[in-house]
Amino acid sequence: MIALTAAEIADITHGRLDAEPGITPSSVVTDSREATQGALYVAKPGEQADGHDFIAAAFAAGATLALVERPVAAADGTTYPAVVVADAVAAMGALAAEVVRRIRAARTARNERTTVVGITGSAGKTTTKDLVAGIFAAHGPTVAPQGSYNGEVGVPLTVFRADEDTRYLVIEMGATGIGHIRYLCDLVAPDIGVVLGVGTAHAGEFGGVENIARAKGEMVEALSAAGTAILNLDDERVAAMRSRTEATVLGFSAEGRSDAGVQALNVDTNASGNPEFDLVLPNHPGTLPVQSQLIGAHHVANLLAAAAIASAAGVPGADIAASLGTQAAASRWRMERTERADGVTIINDAYNANPESMRAALRTLADLGRGRRTWAVLGAMRELGEDTIREHTAVGTQVVRLNISRLVVVGREARALYVSAVQEGSWGDECIFTEDADEAYELLSRELQPGDLVLFKSSNGVGLHRLGDRIALPPQTPQSTDERSTLL
């Protein structure tokens, strides 16, 4: 972390200093349980709890300064050392912007550079972030988000982990409305901006797909003429963003677009569902073979995006291809495969879901399940607005047409999916509706047989990733409780 004194924090955030001016935090946390010695604790209000209620716990754990919206009294009647601001989250953003500025200034003074990458898109952000961070790590100190930290809180928390030695800073950017990507870009000023795709997830919040495209395009609009825009040319709405930026455009395509500088040729998947292709990169003669360790052909777009980012940052092509061929999924619940001792295979892809990622996961299940009994355990795709019924209906129809052996629909939010599968011709024990995850667990525990292949898929808030863990792991194994949500 870049060192900032309490006095500097107050100045940057336009806050009131209620602490010794020389206090210099060594880390920043928003969860009192994560506080360590020397931490700055940000007491942000939340939907479920108010961070001000946990200041005592943060200081007991070692915090030395708080960023607050109101002073909080300790047991002895004094107030905790703090910088008091009007908006704690906005103050985090101001601090993050200053940290990036200082890192760049320090490295420029040493004739060095920090490359900042911003990644957005309706699906694939976390996988692409993990892949490119893996490539960069072999070429210099790299900071990338933990999990899916991609919003107005997560982006600053990622930035605070960087310091003057950071060569690559990778930022995942999500949004739930117009202006959100622009705000995040203003904080970190990306050198390379990436748009992976424009899907229908969160269409209800945005007011339609065209508004999603407008919001995602804020990424390329924020780039300077010296920057590089990485665009998925297989997505027509993303391809159209070329006219919205003055930066150099580097496109990628898995569908043979001749105007794409980064391409995947001869795409196939092996028996384990891992994509294989010949990688085309700008300024590299010939092609480079890539056999990914990820599961599902839909990951080809993420692999190409990571390759394009690394190429734009100057990483040699051979190094890019070699890294892509060795990296498995780095974040949990993204096509996470578990082989049980009894021969049941679990694919837990339930960290998040939208219509595009749901269709891709089901196609992968069908491809991998040839000769096996396949199960699709599906929950709701949330925040689809007026498209909710139509999109769930389409998924139910697809399950039947892909000849998935068994469908288990979990929760009333997803009931339209069950109804459409029944109407398409799946009934009896082929298609089952359960009220909740516990009922689904009992069913699966009873009926799974050696050789079965089971996919779990839903939006994060539905919680099917936990059900997948319960089915995949022995009951005595502690389960993760990481419930941090991701934005579009």
Side-chain angles (χ1 to χ4, degrees):
M1 177 179 172
I2 294 292
L4 296 170
T5 66
E8 288 176 310
I9 292 171
D11 182 59
I12 294 165
T13 62
H14 305 291
R16 185 182 77 241
L17 181 62
D18 285 353
E20 292 295 324
I23 295 174
T24 304
S26 56
S27 63
V28 182
V29 299
T30 57
D31 186 332
S32 63
R33 294 167 296 183
E34 297 175 359
T36 56
Q37 189 60 43
L40 167 66
Y41 172 65
V42 181
K44 68 178 184 66
E47 294 182 3
Q48 305 298 327
D50 186 345
H52 294 78
D53 296 335
F54 301 94
I55 287 180
F59 275 82
T64 54
L65 185 69
L67 190 64
V68 300
E69 296 181 2
R70 64 178 184 273
V72 174
D76 62 3
T78 63
T79 57
Y80 286 102
V83 173
V84 184
V85 296
D87 185 320
V89 173
M92 288 180 71
L95 290 175
E98 177 63 14
V99 165
V100 172
R101 189 195 68 78
R102 292 193 183 196
I103 290 173
R104 282 192 156 126
R107 290 185 64 83
T108 298
R110 304 198 310 250
N111 292 316
E112 298 173 337
R113 183 183 178 188
T114 291
T115 298
V116 180
V117 178
I119 302 172
T120 194
S122 296
K125 295 185 297 295
T126 299
T127 298
T128 301
K129 170 266 297 184
D130 289 338
L131 288 168
V132 78
I135 297 170
F136 283 157
H139 294 268
T142 300
V143 172
Q146 298 172 324
S148 290
Y149 277 9
N150 62 21
E152 59 186 358
V153 173
V155 168
L157 287 174
T158 299
V159 169
F160 296 145
R161 292 172 42 230
D163 57 29
E164 292 179 7
D165 291 328
T166 300
R167 173 66 183 87
Y168 302 101
L169 177 57
V170 182
I171 301 294
E172 181 180 332
M173 296 186 184
T176 54
I178 302 297
H180 291 182
I181 299 296
R182 165 63 71 176
Y183 170 76
L184 298 175
C185 285
D186 286 345
L187 299 188
V188 301
D191 303 291
I192 300 172
V194 187
V195 184
L196 300 172
V198 175
T200 55
H202 299 267
E205 291 180 306
F206 277 90
V209 176
E210 294 308 319
N211 280 340
I212 296 174
R214 178 183 166 196
K216 296 306 180 188
E218 292 170 3
M219 173 69 77
V220 299
E221 290 174 347
L223 298 172
S224 72
T228 302
I230 308 291
L231 300 179
N232 180 3
L233 300 188
D234 294 332
D235 184 318
E236 62 181 17
R237 291 186 176 90
V238 177
M241 294 176 190
R242 286 179 288 196
S243 64
R244 295 172 61 178
T245 185
E246 58 183 15
T248 298
V249 173
L250 177 58
F252 65 90
S253 171
E255 298 178 2
R257 289 285 300 261
S258 60
D259 53 344
V262 177
Q263 298 183 47
L265 305 179
N266 305 314
V267 177
D268 199 358
T269 55
N270 61 23
S272 298
N274 308 124
E276 302 174 339
F277 57 90
D278 294 321
L279 175 64
V280 176
L281 291 173
N283 303 318
H284 186 92
T287 62
L288 294 155
V290 173
Q291 179 176 314
S292 174
Q293 303 303 305
L294 302 177
I295 300 174
H298 60 287
H299 280 307
V300 172
N302 302 326
L303 292 156
L304 290 177
I309 297 165
S311 179
V315 178
D319 293 353
I320 294 171
S323 182
L324 293 179
T326 60
Q327 293 191 62
S331 295
R332 291 218 59 203
W333 305 307
R334 277 90 170 174
M335 298 302 285
E336 182 178 78
R337 182 172 185 155
T338 303
E339 300 287 350
R340 289 194 343 190
D342 62 357
V344 173
T345 300
I346 308 298
I347 298 179
N348 193 337
D349 194 40
Y351 187 82
N352 219 341
N354 56 52
E356 293 77 20
S357 68
M358 185 73 84
R359 287 192 288 269
L362 288 169
R363 285 194 297 270
T364 299
L365 174 65
D367 289 342
L368 289 177
R370 294 189 181 98
R372 306 178 67 175
R373 188 168 67 156
T374 51
W375 294 72
V377 184
L378 307 180
M381 301 174 288
R382 291 181 168 175
E383 298 166 342
L384 296 178
E386 63 184 15
D387 295 329
T388 294
I389 299 297
R390 178 174 61 83
E391 294 291 1
H392 284 86
T393 297
V395 170
T397 300
Q398 183 192 20
V399 170
V400 179
R401 293 181 180 178
L402 287 172
N403 293 316
I404 306 299
S405 308
R406 302 287 296 274
L407 170 65
V408 180
V409 178
V410 183
R412 292 198 169 271
E413 283 184 283
R415 188 169 176 82
L417 197 162
Y418 166 77
V419 172
S420 69
V422 171
Q423 292 176 340
E424 188 66 18
S426 181
W427 56 79
D429 62 0
E430 292 179 353
C431 182
I432 299 172
F433 174 78
T434 61
E435 291 285 348
D436 53 36
D438 287 338
E439 185 180 345
Y441 176 78
E442 295 301 326
L443 169 72
L444 293 167
S445 297
R446 253 188 346 261
E447 299 198 16
L448 286 180
Q449 300 173 6
D452 285 358
L453 176 63
V454 192
L455 169 72
F456 293 86
K457 185 75 173 169
S458 73
S459 284
N460 182 275
V462 177
L464 289 198
H465 57 291
R466 295 194 302 273
L467 174 61
D469 281 351
R470 291 175 69 189
I471 294 296
L473 302 176
Q476 67 270 23
T477 302
Q479 303 297 313
S480 170
T481 58
D482 184 356
E483 296 303 317
R484 297 182 177 93
S485 64
T486 184
L487 302 177
L488 172 62

